[in-house]
Structure formats: structure tokens, C-alpha cells
Amino acid sequence: SPFSPLLAIRGVTTMYGNITALRSVDLHVDPGEIVTLIGANGAGKSTLMMTIFGNPRAAEGQIVFDGHDITHRPTHEIARLSIAQSPEGRRIFSRMTVLENLQMGAAVIGNAHFEEDLERIFMLFPRIKERIAQRGGTLSGGEQQMLAIARALMSRPRLLLLDEPSLGLAPLVARHIFDAVADLNRRTGLTVLLVEQNAFHALRLAHRGYVMVNGEITMSGTGRELLDRPEIKAAYLEGG
Ligand code: ATP
């Protein structure tokens, strides 16, 4: 139904041995939303992204995607459920060309609309078109991030998970990436869960956001509400 979340994380706890990385996390993403999760280094943001894919597994709680309980599904099955990830550190294939990277993304689902989707990607990121025959490893950091997102889009995801897309990028380049994500969401209704340390831009483009501290969600609200909270300004927006 249009009233149920696309992704629901309910009471999820994740452990690394006896270290509790996530503690009873509740978070949901409705269809068409951009939801941002902010938190400092080591707060558990990447662990949440990885737990969605079942690696590591949730020790407690439940993860529901599109009405299906995926908590105990194998990782490769979850990846086929139209959840695409652009992981932290933008793991593109550096020896493959840009085109080959995009083909790898398309192969996940056997995308029959490759040419059409490629044209869309060229409109979203004209730079990708200019670099299409180059090896991934020769691209700039910003271009690699564009490629990582473009590759994820090639699998026509219903949910796009972005783990720190602005990491290591110059502010203007990061801004360009965020604008592209917002544009994509506006035009196509793509649902996005965005994890960021760069709180200002990430909350500005979000419909809603969550704050994670030491593996726990400590605050949530609309992007605007969170941006206006003095404690968020003090902790995450200084100099932003
Ligand atoms: P960053 O922005 O640095 O990626 P994060 O918010 O994504 O931080 P996580 O990488 O999820 O945080 O880490 C959460 C906690 O779990 C940290 O205390 C981290 O040291 C710990 N941790 C992460 N991976 C492992 C692991 N494989 N084994 C043990 N502890 C881990």
C-alpha cells in the first residue's frame, strides 16, 4: 500500500563480537522520500547500511523491505530486491572503463533498457559521458562518486543507499553530487537513504532525517527541523 514504508528497520541491534554497534534502531523510509542519517565517525552509520544487506546480521529486531521481512535472507537475495548501494569509498572497478562499470551495474538485474538508461545517466552526469571510455581508476574523486551512483542506478533500484557520497570531495563537487540526487528524486521519485557526516547539505535535501550517536538514534524530524536544532548546529554544522 502507498501508506506503508518501503524500508522499515525495527528495533535492530547489531553486534561485532561483544561490541554493540547498533542498539535498538528504529528508522523508516517511505516511498519517494530522501531520508538522511547523520552521525559522527564511528556512530554506526555504515553498520546500519551493511545490516540492511545482512552482513553483518541483525542480532535483534526486524528489517522489512516492501512488505517482505528480509532480516534473515541471504545477502545476494537482498541485493536482487531492488536495493542498490553506493558504498563508502565508492568501490568502482578501477581497471574497467566507465562503460564497463555501468554494464556491471546493469548486469545485476539483466537490465533490458541499457541504452535508454545510459542516456538518462548522461543527462544527470554529463561528465560521465565525456569519460565513458576511460578507466574508472583515472577519474577524479567526484567523477568516481558520480560513476558509483550511476552504476547503482543502472540496476533500476527502488531504494538507493548512499554511504557518505561527499567523503573526500571538495565542497563544490559534493554540492553537485547532492544536487544530482535531489534532482533525481524530484524527477523520478527515487527513494533514497543517505548516510552522511556532511550534515548541512545532507539535511537540506532530505525530507526527513535521523541522528545517530554511539549506535542509537537520538533525534529525528524533518530535514528543516533538524537543521534548526541548536544541538545539531553545535555538533554537526560548525563551519558548514
Ligand atoms: P564512519 O563514518 O567512520 O564510517 P560509521 O558511523 O559508519 O563511521 P561504523 O563504521 O558503522 O560507523 O562503526 C560503528 C562502530 O562499530 C565503531 O565503534 C566501529 O569501531 C565498530 N566496528 C565497525 N566495523 C567493525 C568490525 N568489523 N569489527 C569490530 N568493530 C567494528
Side-chain angles (χ1 to χ4, degrees):
S1 104
F3 301 102
S4 53
L6 184 58
L7 176 73
I9 294 171
R10 299 184 184 130
V12 163
T13 292
T14 300
M15 314 283 296
Y16 292 112
N18 51 22
I19 298 167
T20 305
L22 299 179
R23 197 184 298 272
S24 285
V25 169
D26 289 307
L27 176 155
H28 70 273
V29 185
D30 287 327
E33 273 191 316
I34 299 178
V35 170
T36 292
L37 173 66
I38 63 170
N41 240 318
K45 306 181 302 296
S46 297
T47 299
L48 182 69
M49 292 297 211
M50 295 189 295
T51 303
I52 293 170
F53 280 93
N55 181 24
R57 292 239 166 249
E60 281 171 32
Q62 191 187 39
I63 302 172
V64 177
F65 178 70
D66 195 24
H68 303 285
D69 186 340
I70 61 168
T71 323
H72 304 288
R73 295 252 189 118
T75 297
H76 65 270
E77 260 182 41
I78 298 168
R80 278 205 303 263
L81 284 173
S82 288
I83 308 178
Q85 191 184 25
S86 177
E88 186 177 352
R90 34 178 193 273
R91 272 166 260 144
I92 58 155
F93 302 107
S94 58
R95 289 164 177 278
M96 290 187 186
T97 66
V98 168
L99 182 63
E100 286 163 347
N101 269 274
L102 296 173
Q103 287 165 338
M104 293 295 281
V108 173
I109 56 152
N111 188 345
H113 309 274
F114 184 79
E115 297 298 329
E116 185 187 320
D117 287 358
L118 193 59
E119 286 305 317
R120 293 218 184 97
I121 300 260
F122 289 165
M123 292 209 302
L124 186 67
F125 298 122
R127 195 66 73 83
I128 295 280
K129 186 173 185 176
E130 293 167 26
R131 301 280 185 265
I132 196 74
Q134 260 176 249
R135 281 176 197 258
T138 68
L139 302 183
S140 72
E143 291 163 355
Q144 289 189 19
Q145 186 59 61
M146 291 173 204
L147 177 56
I149 294 172
R151 188 181 63 186
L153 292 175
M154 274 297 181
S155 68
R156 295 196 157 203
R158 296 182 56 204
L159 175 64
L160 179 64
L161 305 179
L162 295 175
D163 195 349
E164 303 218 21
S166 79
L167 193 72
L169 301 184
L172 259 179
V173 180
R175 177 75 186 270
H176 178 64
I177 301 277
F178 289 133
D179 285 348
V181 171
D183 182 47
L184 195 64
N185 168 268
R186 262 195 306 272
R187 283 188 301 107
T188 70
L190 180 69
T191 309
V192 179
L193 176 58
L194 168 67
V195 163
E196 263 296 337
Q197 283 190 56
N198 187 342
F200 178 68
H201 289 299
L203 288 175
R204 234 176 34 132
L205 67 89
H207 298 102
R208 290 185 306 110
Y210 294 84
V211 180
M212 181 174 273
V213 178
N214 290 329
E216 293 185 68
I217 301 292
T218 56
M219 258 181 263
S220 64
T222 66
R224 185 76 256 164
E225 281 164 3
L226 291 176
L227 278 172
D228 288 341
R229 305 273 293 246
E231 58 270 53
I232 301 259
K233 283 191 178 131
Y236 301 101
L237 301 179
E238 295 296 72

